[in-house]
PDB file of all heavy atoms in Angstrom:
ATOM      1  N   LEU X   1       3.733   1.345  -5.777  1.00  0.00           N
ATOM      2  CA  LEU X   1       3.873  -0.112  -5.822  1.00  0.00           C
ATOM      3  C   LEU X   1       4.462  -0.589  -4.502  1.00  0.00           C
ATOM      4  O   LEU X   1       5.440  -0.025  -4.021  1.00  0.00           O
ATOM      5  CB  LEU X   1       4.795  -0.532  -6.961  1.00  0.00           C
ATOM      6  CG  LEU X   1       4.432  -0.084  -8.378  1.00  0.00           C
ATOM      7  CD1 LEU X   1       5.567  -0.420  -9.347  1.00  0.00           C
ATOM      8  CD2 LEU X   1       3.132  -0.759  -8.837  1.00  0.00           C
ATOM      9  N   GLN X   2       3.874  -1.623  -3.936  1.00  0.00           N
ATOM     10  CA  GLN X   2       4.436  -2.230  -2.725  1.00  0.00           C
ATOM     11  C   GLN X   2       4.643  -3.716  -2.981  1.00  0.00           C
ATOM     12  O   GLN X   2       3.687  -4.474  -3.110  1.00  0.00           O
ATOM     13  CB  GLN X   2       3.514  -2.028  -1.526  1.00  0.00           C
ATOM     14  CG  GLN X   2       3.963  -2.768  -0.271  1.00  0.00           C
ATOM     15  CD  GLN X   2       5.301  -2.262   0.260  1.00  0.00           C
ATOM     16  OE1 GLN X   2       5.438  -1.084   0.552  1.00  0.00           O
ATOM     17  NE2 GLN X   2       6.288  -3.155   0.395  1.00  0.00           N
ATOM     18  N   ALA X   3       5.906  -4.110  -3.078  1.00  0.00           N
ATOM     19  CA  ALA X   3       6.229  -5.524  -3.238  1.00  0.00           C
ATOM     20  C   ALA X   3       6.082  -6.204  -1.882  1.00  0.00           C
ATOM     21  O   ALA X   3       6.552  -5.688  -0.866  1.00  0.00           O
ATOM     22  CB  ALA X   3       7.649  -5.684  -3.774  1.00  0.00           C
ATOM     23  N   PHE X   4       5.425  -7.371  -1.861  1.00  0.00           N
ATOM     24  CA  PHE X   4       5.209  -8.071  -0.597  1.00  0.00           C
ATOM     25  C   PHE X   4       4.878  -9.530  -0.874  1.00  0.00           C
ATOM     26  O   PHE X   4       4.599  -9.923  -2.009  1.00  0.00           O
ATOM     27  CB  PHE X   4       4.062  -7.427   0.191  1.00  0.00           C
ATOM     28  CG  PHE X   4       2.684  -7.770  -0.336  1.00  0.00           C
ATOM     29  CD1 PHE X   4       1.878  -8.668   0.342  1.00  0.00           C
ATOM     30  CD2 PHE X   4       2.208  -7.210  -1.515  1.00  0.00           C
ATOM     31  CE1 PHE X   4       0.622  -9.007  -0.142  1.00  0.00           C
ATOM     32  CE2 PHE X   4       0.946  -7.529  -2.007  1.00  0.00           C
ATOM     33  CZ  PHE X   4       0.148  -8.432  -1.312  1.00  0.00           C
ATOM     34  N   SER X   5       4.897 -10.333   0.176  1.00  0.00           N
ATOM     35  CA  SER X   5       4.427 -11.708   0.116  1.00  0.00           C
ATOM     36  C   SER X   5       3.423 -11.905   1.234  1.00  0.00           C
ATOM     37  O   SER X   5       3.680 -11.525   2.384  1.00  0.00           O
ATOM     38  CB  SER X   5       5.576 -12.711   0.278  1.00  0.00           C
ATOM     39  OG  SER X   5       5.051 -14.025   0.451  1.00  0.00           O
ATOM     40  N   ALA X   6       2.279 -12.503   0.915  1.00  0.00           N
ATOM     41  CA  ALA X   6       1.257 -12.737   1.925  1.00  0.00           C
ATOM     42  C   ALA X   6       1.690 -13.818   2.915  1.00  0.00           C
ATOM     43  O   ALA X   6       1.056 -13.992   3.957  1.00  0.00           O
ATOM     44  CB  ALA X   6      -0.056 -13.139   1.256  1.00  0.00           C
ATOM     45  N   ARG X   7       2.772 -14.517   2.609  1.00  0.00           N
ATOM     46  CA  ARG X   7       3.290 -15.518   3.547  1.00  0.00           C
ATOM     47  C   ARG X   7       4.030 -14.865   4.705  1.00  0.00           C
ATOM     48  O   ARG X   7       4.323 -15.508   5.704  1.00  0.00           O
ATOM     49  CB  ARG X   7       4.245 -16.465   2.813  1.00  0.00           C
ATOM     50  CG  ARG X   7       3.552 -17.394   1.844  1.00  0.00           C
ATOM     51  CD  ARG X   7       4.524 -18.304   1.150  1.00  0.00           C
ATOM     52  NE  ARG X   7       5.170 -19.230   2.086  1.00  0.00           N
ATOM     53  CZ  ARG X   7       6.030 -20.170   1.712  1.00  0.00           C
ATOM     54  NH1 ARG X   7       6.374 -20.281   0.434  1.00  0.00           N
ATOM     55  NH2 ARG X   7       6.549 -20.979   2.589  1.00  0.00           N
ATOM     56  N   SER X   8       4.347 -13.600   4.557  1.00  0.00           N
ATOM     57  CA  SER X   8       5.129 -12.884   5.559  1.00  0.00           C
ATOM     58  C   SER X   8       4.256 -11.862   6.283  1.00  0.00           C
ATOM     59  O   SER X   8       3.609 -11.022   5.647  1.00  0.00           O
ATOM     60  CB  SER X   8       6.311 -12.172   4.883  1.00  0.00           C
ATOM     61  OG  SER X   8       6.860 -11.191   5.710  1.00  0.00           O
ATOM     62  N   ALA X   9       4.267 -11.932   7.627  1.00  0.00           N
ATOM     63  CA  ALA X   9       3.498 -10.957   8.400  1.00  0.00           C
ATOM     64  C   ALA X   9       4.036  -9.546   8.165  1.00  0.00           C
ATOM     65  O   ALA X   9       3.267  -8.578   8.090  1.00  0.00           O
ATOM     66  CB  ALA X   9       3.570 -11.304   9.887  1.00  0.00           C
ATOM     67  N   SER X  10       5.362  -9.427   8.023  1.00  0.00           N
ATOM     68  CA  SER X  10       5.951  -8.111   7.770  1.00  0.00           C
ATOM     69  C   SER X  10       5.552  -7.595   6.397  1.00  0.00           C
ATOM     70  O   SER X  10       5.369  -6.385   6.207  1.00  0.00           O
ATOM     71  CB  SER X  10       7.478  -8.181   7.888  1.00  0.00           C
ATOM     72  OG  SER X  10       8.019  -9.060   6.910  1.00  0.00           O
ATOM     73  N   GLY X  11       5.382  -8.504   5.443  1.00  0.00           N
ATOM     74  CA  GLY X  11       4.944  -8.101   4.110  1.00  0.00           C
ATOM     75  C   GLY X  11       3.516  -7.590   4.114  1.00  0.00           C
ATOM     76  O   GLY X  11       3.206  -6.563   3.489  1.00  0.00           O
ATOM     77  N   ILE X  12       2.628  -8.275   4.835  1.00  0.00           N
ATOM     78  CA  ILE X  12       1.235  -7.848   4.955  1.00  0.00           C
ATOM     79  C   ILE X  12       1.168  -6.470   5.622  1.00  0.00           C
ATOM     80  O   ILE X  12       0.442  -5.578   5.186  1.00  0.00           O
ATOM     81  CB  ILE X  12       0.418  -8.868   5.767  1.00  0.00           C
ATOM     82  CG1 ILE X  12       0.272 -10.185   4.991  1.00  0.00           C
ATOM     83  CG2 ILE X  12      -0.946  -8.303   6.120  1.00  0.00           C
ATOM     84  CD1 ILE X  12      -0.597 -10.098   3.766  1.00  0.00           C
ATOM     85  N   MET X  13       1.951  -6.306   6.679  1.00  0.00           N
ATOM     86  CA  MET X  13       1.948  -5.027   7.400  1.00  0.00           C
ATOM     87  C   MET X  13       2.527  -3.903   6.541  1.00  0.00           C
ATOM     88  O   MET X  13       2.002  -2.784   6.532  1.00  0.00           O
ATOM     89  CB  MET X  13       2.756  -5.160   8.689  1.00  0.00           C
ATOM     90  CG  MET X  13       2.732  -3.914   9.566  1.00  0.00           C
ATOM     91  SD  MET X  13       1.059  -3.407  10.055  1.00  0.00           S
ATOM     92  CE  MET X  13       0.602  -4.808  11.117  1.00  0.00           C
ATOM     93  N   ALA X  14       3.601  -4.210   5.795  1.00  0.00           N
ATOM     94  CA  ALA X  14       4.216  -3.192   4.933  1.00  0.00           C
ATOM     95  C   ALA X  14       3.234  -2.725   3.872  1.00  0.00           C
ATOM     96  O   ALA X  14       3.149  -1.524   3.577  1.00  0.00           O
ATOM     97  CB  ALA X  14       5.475  -3.752   4.284  1.00  0.00           C
ATOM     98  N   ARG X  15       2.482  -3.669   3.291  1.00  0.00           N
ATOM     99  CA  ARG X  15       1.519  -3.292   2.262  1.00  0.00           C
ATOM    100  C   ARG X  15       0.459  -2.357   2.831  1.00  0.00           C
ATOM    101  O   ARG X  15       0.104  -1.343   2.230  1.00  0.00           O
ATOM    102  CB  ARG X  15       0.872  -4.557   1.682  1.00  0.00           C
ATOM    103  CG  ARG X  15       0.012  -4.291   0.448  1.00  0.00           C
ATOM    104  CD  ARG X  15      -1.226  -5.128   0.475  1.00  0.00           C
ATOM    105  NE  ARG X  15      -2.011  -4.941   1.668  1.00  0.00           N
ATOM    106  CZ  ARG X  15      -2.821  -3.893   1.886  1.00  0.00           C
ATOM    107  NH1 ARG X  15      -2.910  -2.918   1.004  1.00  0.00           N
ATOM    108  NH2 ARG X  15      -3.518  -3.802   3.004  1.00  0.00           N
ATOM    109  N   LYS X  16      -0.022  -2.675   4.034  1.00  0.00           N
ATOM    110  CA  LYS X  16      -1.050  -1.847   4.669  1.00  0.00           C
ATOM    111  C   LYS X  16      -0.516  -0.450   4.987  1.00  0.00           C
ATOM    112  O   LYS X  16      -1.177   0.561   4.727  1.00  0.00           O
ATOM    113  CB  LYS X  16      -1.536  -2.525   5.952  1.00  0.00           C
ATOM    114  CG  LYS X  16      -2.643  -1.761   6.658  1.00  0.00           C
ATOM    115  CD  LYS X  16      -3.088  -2.496   7.912  1.00  0.00           C
ATOM    116  CE  LYS X  16      -4.190  -1.709   8.640  1.00  0.00           C
ATOM    117  NZ  LYS X  16      -4.633  -2.407   9.869  1.00  0.00           N
ATOM    118  N   LYS X  17       0.700  -0.388   5.559  1.00  0.00           N
ATOM    119  CA  LYS X  17       1.278   0.898   5.934  1.00  0.00           C
ATOM    120  C   LYS X  17       1.564   1.758   4.708  1.00  0.00           C
ATOM    121  O   LYS X  17       1.400   2.982   4.747  1.00  0.00           O
ATOM    122  CB  LYS X  17       2.559   0.672   6.735  1.00  0.00           C
ATOM    123  CG  LYS X  17       2.314   0.198   8.161  1.00  0.00           C
ATOM    124  CD  LYS X  17       3.616   0.082   8.939  1.00  0.00           C
ATOM    125  CE  LYS X  17       3.369  -0.291  10.390  1.00  0.00           C
ATOM    126  NZ  LYS X  17       4.644  -0.397  11.153  1.00  0.00           N
ATOM    127  N   THR X  18       1.987   1.135   3.623  1.00  0.00           N
ATOM    128  CA  THR X  18       2.262   1.887   2.395  1.00  0.00           C
ATOM    129  C   THR X  18       0.981   2.464   1.822  1.00  0.00           C
ATOM    130  O   THR X  18       0.953   3.610   1.362  1.00  0.00           O
ATOM    131  CB  THR X  18       2.963   0.995   1.365  1.00  0.00           C
ATOM    132  OG1 THR X  18       4.250   0.634   1.862  1.00  0.00           O
ATOM    133  CG2 THR X  18       3.119   1.704   0.027  1.00  0.00           C
ATOM    134  N   GLU X  19      -0.088   1.687   1.856  1.00  0.00           N
ATOM    135  CA  GLU X  19      -1.383   2.196   1.391  1.00  0.00           C
ATOM    136  C   GLU X  19      -1.803   3.404   2.217  1.00  0.00           C
ATOM    137  O   GLU X  19      -2.220   4.436   1.674  1.00  0.00           O
ATOM    138  CB  GLU X  19      -2.442   1.095   1.496  1.00  0.00           C
ATOM    139  CG  GLU X  19      -3.830   1.556   1.063  1.00  0.00           C
ATOM    140  CD  GLU X  19      -4.899   0.499   1.295  1.00  0.00           C
ATOM    141  OE1 GLU X  19      -4.570  -0.608   1.781  1.00  0.00           O
ATOM    142  OE2 GLU X  19      -6.074   0.791   1.012  1.00  0.00           O
ATOM    143  N   GLU X  20      -1.677   3.302   3.543  1.00  0.00           N
ATOM    144  CA  GLU X  20      -2.048   4.416   4.425  1.00  0.00           C
ATOM    145  C   GLU X  20      -1.169   5.635   4.167  1.00  0.00           C
ATOM    146  O   GLU X  20      -1.655   6.776   4.173  1.00  0.00           O
ATOM    147  CB  GLU X  20      -1.928   3.973   5.886  1.00  0.00           C
ATOM    148  CG  GLU X  20      -2.967   2.925   6.293  1.00  0.00           C
ATOM    149  CD  GLU X  20      -2.703   2.342   7.672  1.00  0.00           C
ATOM    150  OE1 GLU X  20      -1.607   2.603   8.222  1.00  0.00           O
ATOM    151  OE2 GLU X  20      -3.584   1.634   8.188  1.00  0.00           O
ATOM    152  N   ALA X  21       0.128   5.400   3.942  1.00  0.00           N
ATOM    153  CA  ALA X  21       1.058   6.507   3.685  1.00  0.00           C
ATOM    154  C   ALA X  21       0.722   7.217   2.384  1.00  0.00           C
ATOM    155  O   ALA X  21       0.813   8.445   2.286  1.00  0.00           O
ATOM    156  CB  ALA X  21       2.484   5.987   3.648  1.00  0.00           C
ATOM    157  N   ALA X  22       0.340   6.443   1.367  1.00  0.00           N
ATOM    158  CA  ALA X  22      -0.023   7.046   0.076  1.00  0.00           C
ATOM    159  C   ALA X  22      -1.277   7.903   0.225  1.00  0.00           C
ATOM    160  O   ALA X  22      -1.351   9.021  -0.300  1.00  0.00           O
ATOM    161  CB  ALA X  22      -0.240   5.953  -0.956  1.00  0.00           C
ATOM    162  N   LEU X  23      -2.268   7.397   0.959  1.00  0.00           N
ATOM    163  CA  LEU X  23      -3.510   8.149   1.151  1.00  0.00           C
ATOM    164  C   LEU X  23      -3.285   9.392   2.004  1.00  0.00           C
ATOM    165  O   LEU X  23      -4.004  10.389   1.861  1.00  0.00           O
ATOM    166  CB  LEU X  23      -4.570   7.249   1.790  1.00  0.00           C
ATOM    167  CG  LEU X  23      -5.022   6.048   0.937  1.00  0.00           C
ATOM    168  CD1 LEU X  23      -6.005   5.183   1.711  1.00  0.00           C
ATOM    169  CD2 LEU X  23      -5.636   6.511  -0.379  1.00  0.00           C
ATOM    170  N   ALA X  24      -2.267   9.334   2.871  1.00  0.00           N
ATOM    171  CA  ALA X  24      -1.961  10.485   3.735  1.00  0.00           C
ATOM    172  C   ALA X  24      -1.479  11.691   2.937  1.00  0.00           C
ATOM    173  O   ALA X  24      -1.482  12.816   3.444  1.00  0.00           O
ATOM    174  CB  ALA X  24      -0.902  10.101   4.773  1.00  0.00           C
ATOM    175  N   ALA X  25      -1.068  11.463   1.698  1.00  0.00           N
ATOM    176  CA  ALA X  25      -0.637  12.571   0.840  1.00  0.00           C
ATOM    177  C   ALA X  25      -1.814  13.443   0.414  1.00  0.00           C
ATOM    178  O   ALA X  25      -1.609  14.547  -0.097  1.00  0.00           O
ATOM    179  CB  ALA X  25       0.096  12.034  -0.384  1.00  0.00           C
ATOM    180  N   LYS X  26      -3.024  12.916   0.606  1.00  0.00           N
ATOM    181  CA  LYS X  26      -4.260  13.660   0.292  1.00  0.00           C
ATOM    182  C   LYS X  26      -4.295  14.118  -1.168  1.00  0.00           C
ATOM    183  O   LYS X  26      -4.582  15.275  -1.480  1.00  0.00           O
ATOM    184  CB  LYS X  26      -4.441  14.847   1.237  1.00  0.00           C
ATOM    185  CG  LYS X  26      -4.537  14.450   2.707  1.00  0.00           C
ATOM    186  CD  LYS X  26      -4.845  15.630   3.599  1.00  0.00           C
ATOM    187  CE  LYS X  26      -4.840  15.251   5.071  1.00  0.00           C
ATOM    188  NZ  LYS X  26      -5.771  14.181   5.420  1.00  0.00           N
ATOM    189  N   VAL X  27      -3.969  13.174  -2.035  1.00  0.00           N
ATOM    190  CA  VAL X  27      -4.026  13.419  -3.472  1.00  0.00           C
ATOM    191  C   VAL X  27      -5.396  12.997  -3.975  1.00  0.00           C
ATOM    192  O   VAL X  27      -5.995  12.041  -3.445  1.00  0.00           O
ATOM    193  CB  VAL X  27      -2.912  12.622  -4.189  1.00  0.00           C
ATOM    194  CG1 VAL X  27      -3.058  12.690  -5.696  1.00  0.00           C
ATOM    195  CG2 VAL X  27      -1.552  13.154  -3.767  1.00  0.00           C
ATOM    196  N   ALA X  28      -5.904  13.684  -4.979  1.00  0.00           N
ATOM    197  CA  ALA X  28      -7.211  13.334  -5.540  1.00  0.00           C
ATOM    198  C   ALA X  28      -7.224  11.859  -5.955  1.00  0.00           C
ATOM    199  O   ALA X  28      -6.247  11.341  -6.497  1.00  0.00           O
ATOM    200  CB  ALA X  28      -7.505  14.215  -6.750  1.00  0.00           C
ATOM    201  N   ALA X  29      -8.329  11.196  -5.668  1.00  0.00           N
ATOM    202  CA  ALA X  29      -8.433   9.756  -5.922  1.00  0.00           C
ATOM    203  C   ALA X  29      -8.134   9.399  -7.379  1.00  0.00           C
ATOM    204  O   ALA X  29      -7.549   8.343  -7.661  1.00  0.00           O
ATOM    205  CB  ALA X  29      -9.831   9.274  -5.529  1.00  0.00           C
ATOM    206  N   ASP X  30      -8.519  10.278  -8.296  1.00  0.00           N
ATOM    207  CA  ASP X  30      -8.295  10.004  -9.720  1.00  0.00           C
ATOM    208  C   ASP X  30      -6.825  10.117 -10.109  1.00  0.00           C
ATOM    209  O   ASP X  30      -6.439   9.680 -11.192  1.00  0.00           O
ATOM    210  CB  ASP X  30      -9.112  10.969 -10.589  1.00  0.00           C
ATOM    211  CG  ASP X  30     -10.604  10.677 -10.528  1.00  0.00           C
ATOM    212  OD1 ASP X  30     -10.973   9.575 -10.066  1.00  0.00           O
ATOM    213  OD2 ASP X  30     -11.391  11.555 -10.927  1.00  0.00           O
ATOM    214  N   ASP X  31      -6.016  10.714  -9.238  1.00  0.00           N
ATOM    215  CA  ASP X  31      -4.608  10.936  -9.553  1.00  0.00           C
ATOM    216  C   ASP X  31      -3.679   9.899  -8.935  1.00  0.00           C
ATOM    217  O   ASP X  31      -2.468   9.928  -9.184  1.00  0.00           O
ATOM    218  CB  ASP X  31      -4.161  12.318  -9.059  1.00  0.00           C
ATOM    219  CG  ASP X  31      -4.641  13.432  -9.961  1.00  0.00           C
ATOM    220  OD1 ASP X  31      -5.031  13.130 -11.099  1.00  0.00           O
ATOM    221  OD2 ASP X  31      -4.626  14.600  -9.530  1.00  0.00           O
ATOM    222  N   LEU X  32      -4.216   8.992  -8.136  1.00  0.00           N
ATOM    223  CA  LEU X  32      -3.369   8.064  -7.383  1.00  0.00           C
ATOM    224  C   LEU X  32      -3.863   6.628  -7.509  1.00  0.00           C
ATOM    225  O   LEU X  32      -5.063   6.359  -7.407  1.00  0.00           O
ATOM    226  CB  LEU X  32      -3.369   8.466  -5.900  1.00  0.00           C
ATOM    227  CG  LEU X  32      -2.614   7.564  -4.924  1.00  0.00           C
ATOM    228  CD1 LEU X  32      -1.107   7.609  -5.208  1.00  0.00           C
ATOM    229  CD2 LEU X  32      -2.892   7.976  -3.484  1.00  0.00           C
ATOM    230  N   VAL X  33      -2.912   5.725  -7.738  1.00  0.00           N
ATOM    231  CA  VAL X  33      -3.216   4.289  -7.769  1.00  0.00           C
ATOM    232  C   VAL X  33      -2.200   3.577  -6.883  1.00  0.00           C
ATOM    233  O   VAL X  33      -0.992   3.773  -7.033  1.00  0.00           O
ATOM    234  CB  VAL X  33      -3.144   3.710  -9.203  1.00  0.00           C
ATOM    235  CG1 VAL X  33      -3.435   2.208  -9.187  1.00  0.00           C
ATOM    236  CG2 VAL X  33      -4.118   4.428 -10.119  1.00  0.00           C
ATOM    237  N   VAL X  34      -2.689   2.763  -5.954  1.00  0.00           N
ATOM    238  CA  VAL X  34      -1.830   1.963  -5.090  1.00  0.00           C
ATOM    239  C   VAL X  34      -1.994   0.498  -5.494  1.00  0.00           C
ATOM    240  O   VAL X  34      -3.118  -0.011  -5.558  1.00  0.00           O
ATOM    241  CB  VAL X  34      -2.192   2.139  -3.604  1.00  0.00           C
ATOM    242  CG1 VAL X  34      -1.256   1.303  -2.727  1.00  0.00           C
ATOM    243  CG2 VAL X  34      -2.127   3.607  -3.202  1.00  0.00           C
ATOM    244  N   ILE X  35      -0.877  -0.152  -5.779  1.00  0.00           N
ATOM    245  CA  ILE X  35      -0.911  -1.544  -6.248  1.00  0.00           C
ATOM    246  C   ILE X  35       0.024  -2.388  -5.399  1.00  0.00           C
ATOM    247  O   ILE X  35       1.194  -2.047  -5.219  1.00  0.00           O
ATOM    248  CB  ILE X  35      -0.484  -1.638  -7.733  1.00  0.00           C
ATOM    249  CG1 ILE X  35      -1.398  -0.794  -8.611  1.00  0.00           C
ATOM    250  CG2 ILE X  35      -0.502  -3.098  -8.198  1.00  0.00           C
ATOM    251  CD1 ILE X  35      -0.940  -0.714 -10.057  1.00  0.00           C
ATOM    252  N   GLY X  36      -0.491  -3.492  -4.892  1.00  0.00           N
ATOM    253  CA  GLY X  36       0.357  -4.468  -4.226  1.00  0.00           C
ATOM    254  C   GLY X  36       0.964  -5.397  -5.266  1.00  0.00           C
ATOM    255  O   GLY X  36       0.271  -5.814  -6.204  1.00  0.00           O
ATOM    256  N   VAL X  37       2.240  -5.679  -5.132  1.00  0.00           N
ATOM    257  CA  VAL X  37       2.917  -6.588  -6.072  1.00  0.00           C
ATOM    258  C   VAL X  37       3.333  -7.824  -5.271  1.00  0.00           C
ATOM    259  O   VAL X  37       4.269  -7.772  -4.471  1.00  0.00           O
ATOM    260  CB  VAL X  37       4.153  -5.926  -6.714  1.00  0.00           C
ATOM    261  CG1 VAL X  37       4.849  -6.909  -7.649  1.00  0.00           C
ATOM    262  CG2 VAL X  37       3.756  -4.667  -7.466  1.00  0.00           C
TER     263      VAL X  37
END
């Protein structure tokens, strides 16, 4: 889960970086869900 606000540039960037970091774990797609809050 990545809490963010689209009104904030830092929030948009944090959401993107968190998604990339989660995918970097190289976990099977069926085992991982990334959700922006």
Side-chain angles (χ1 to χ4, degrees):
L1 303 172
Q2 173 64 57
F4 76 105
S5 170
R7 289 180 65 177
S8 163
S10 62
I12 292 291
M13 184 58 67
R15 189 219 56 78
K16 182 179 179 180
K17 286 184 176 180
T18 294
E19 179 185 359
E20 292 171 349
L23 296 176
K26 300 185 184 303
V27 172
D30 289 345
D31 283 343
L32 176 66
V33 179
V34 181
I35 301 173
V37 178

